[in-house]
Amino acid sequence: MLGSMFDNVNKMPNALARLDSKPIRVLTVASKVELAVLHVVEAEPSSADMGAMCERNPLHSFMFNAHGKLLNANKAALEAFQSCHPDPVADRRITLKKLFHLGYYPGGQEEAQAACEEAYNDVFNMKLDCHRHPQPHKSRKDGTIRWEMIEMWPMQDPIDASPAVLVKKYDITAQKDLELKLSIQQQELQRQNQELERYSAAMLEDKLRLQEQADSLSQRLEAVLHEKYERTTFDADTPIDKTLAYLESVIQGRCPPVQAALDLYHILSESGTDLRQPIGLKKQLLQEYSLDADVGQSMLQLLQGSGQRSEPFPGSGGAGQTEAAGEALARRTSSLATASLMPSITPALERHLQDAGSSWQFDIFAFAEETPGNTLSLLAMHFFQQSGVLKHYTTSERHFWRWVQRIESGYVASNPYHNSVHVASVLQMAHMLLTHGGIRQSNAMGMREVYGTYWSAITHDFEHGGLNNDFLGGPVFSEDTVPLRKQIINMVLGTDMKKHFDIVSRFQAAFKKASSSGNSTIDIDWAAVKTEDKTLMHQMLLKCADIGHLAADLSTHKRWPTSWKRSSSARG
């Protein structure tokens, strides 16, 4: 029965179209199940509906043939065109050409005709998918400019299939206003950028001019002060340093004063000039520089190595021993069996050791008070363990402890400065330079070099009477071809103050390019650095560690110059 209800479904009006049909079971009265067919249909828009939709479309829609004559247009398009021709006498026939001539072009009718011809060519000759043309219009009410977009799509006349074009017009005034605002803003930004560039160029010129004036005034002021006042600062530059500085200023385009060139000429032309020693070192230390006479004489003796042998400190073994220092060290290490056992590490000592491995202002004197007789040994054991050196070289802690205890016993407590506390301070600063100064991070040193640096710090003043190495009977270790011993020998000898200016001058010359370009040790390709330059770097590291107390707390630092002065006075 239900199936018969859909028998005439195919006779429905064209406005309906059957989309799907499928059999189903339906439960009827008395619990009876019957077979039926379900038809799913959906209404399709009729031609009349489509026409109504087109008529009510707010967009202006036209259709023209290849000659520009109107084939069809919707209501909105016709009303808009008629409103533009209120004169009843005027020709109101709509053509594609008139559509373009309705625009308000700066170039008048010629620009409108050119726009029309371009549209014809794109649509009918080039057969582009779509041609777009923004058209300006002048408002009759207030004279403002509004914009409409003309879009044209090539098609065929649905009646005779001849070439035709579908044209749509819609308002784009808001879009054009936004584009105009953005264009104005962009032009303003460009103008501001140009002003900033001119201002920046003017600032640069002013900076260069002021720099030249400042350099000139600085040179004049320096000359006046040099003539009027006695020099109170120490000039540590060697002739080589002065020559390099002069050449660098010339290379950089600066004009050094003529007097500087004359002074340099006289220095280099004098016979017997030591190129690696400061000019007038004796005069500076003993006459011009404000130093205690004894201290100045002691510094001159250390820096020049030209003094008499002084009496050693009591118990130091003396500098007059006949055996070489390397032989003495080898013989004395036979007493390792008598070294004391390593003390237990209390929580307080553990905190001190942790601080020693991470602080530039480590209080070495507070640590020494907690570790009498073991200050150097405990610090050395901690750093050798922490750095992995003991594990790398499979050295037993017991053997290492006995060895370092013997080294510590060679530092005499009665020496006010060159004692085990000073050496422990040097070792701690060397460790900081290695781990927190960029040395290890830059791969400037491998494990062997780290091992050698620690040993150099530990032994650099071994049985030192407070004199330079001219009085110590030779280096601590005998010269051989083992790289480790060679490194330790070079580093220990580098702490000899007699070689201070020579090492500093060579180091500055070797690494001047890297420092002037702002590069750190991390940026240097150490694999390409020459062996002798690496040796200079090793020596400078230990030299910096040797005076590392300059980075300590002020109260800690001030104790070291006092101790050094007492040491100088004790030597006479």
Side-chain angles (χ1 to χ4, degrees), residues 262-319:
L262 293 175
D263 292 343
L264 190 59
Y265 173 79
H266 291 309
I267 291 172
L268 297 177
S269 60
E270 290 181 1
S271 61
T273 298
D274 190 342
L275 298 180
R276 296 291 182 179
Q277 285 285 346
I279 303 300
L281 180 61
K282 181 177 180 180
K283 182 180 179 181
Q284 290 190 73
L285 291 176
L286 301 182
Q287 299 178 21
E288 299 180 354
Y289 197 53
S290 301
L291 283 179
D292 181 272
D294 293 338
V295 174
Q297 186 66 45
S298 179
M299 286 190 65
L300 182 64
Q301 179 178 323
L302 289 172
L303 293 172
Q304 289 187 335
S306 59
Q308 297 292 327
R309 292 183 182 234
S310 301
E311 290 297 323
F313 287 97
S316 66

Side-chain angles (χ1 to χ4, degrees), residues 74-235:
N74 66 352
K75 183 178 180 181
L78 293 173
E79 291 177 350
F81 187 87
Q82 295 301 330
S83 66
C84 294
H85 295 77
D87 186 2
V89 181
D91 185 5
R92 296 190 176 185
R93 288 179 299 176
I94 303 176
T95 64
L96 185 58
K97 181 178 180 180
K98 285 185 178 180
L99 202 64
F100 276 89
H101 281 263
L102 289 177
Y104 181 76
Y105 294 96
Q109 297 299 313
E110 293 182 0
E111 186 176 349
Q113 181 61 30
C116 181
E117 292 175 357
E118 181 184 2
Y120 264 97
N121 182 63
D122 287 350
V123 173
F124 294 108
N125 296 332
M126 304 298 294
K127 299 187 183 301
L128 299 181
D129 292 338
C130 180
H131 173 82
R132 290 182 175 86
H133 172 71
Q135 187 180 58
H137 292 269
K138 187 174 183 179
S139 173
R140 293 181 179 179
K141 295 181 180 180
D142 53 11
T144 58
I145 301 298
R146 61 184 181 84
W147 290 83
E148 290 183 344
M149 178 65 75
I150 299 178
E151 292 186 350
M152 305 173 64
W153 290 274
M155 59 177 299
Q156 290 183 343
D157 187 340
I159 304 300
D160 58 7
S162 61
V165 58
L166 177 64
V167 180
K168 290 185 178 292
K169 292 182 66 179
Y170 54 91
D171 188 25
I172 59 169
T173 302
Q175 176 183 342
K176 278 293 183 178
D177 289 344
L178 179 60
E179 290 178 357
L180 180 60
K181 291 179 181 178
L182 292 176
S183 176
I184 294 175
Q185 291 178 358
Q186 183 178 9
Q187 292 175 2
E188 179 63 19
L189 287 175
Q190 290 177 351
R191 184 188 64 80
Q192 293 178 0
N193 285 337
Q194 291 173 356
E195 289 183 359
L196 287 175
E197 289 176 357
R198 289 194 296 269
Y199 181 74
S200 177
M203 289 285 289
L204 181 58
E205 291 179 0
D206 290 343
K207 179 182 177 181
L208 294 176
R209 177 176 54 79
L210 291 174
Q211 184 63 48
E212 291 177 358
Q213 293 178 358
D215 292 342
S216 176
L217 290 174
S218 177
Q219 293 175 3
R220 291 169 58 187
L221 179 61
E222 183 178 354
V224 170
L225 293 176
H226 182 77
E227 293 176 1
K228 188 172 183 179
Y229 299 102
E230 183 180 2
R231 185 178 60 191
T232 58
T233 57
F234 184 75
D235 182 9

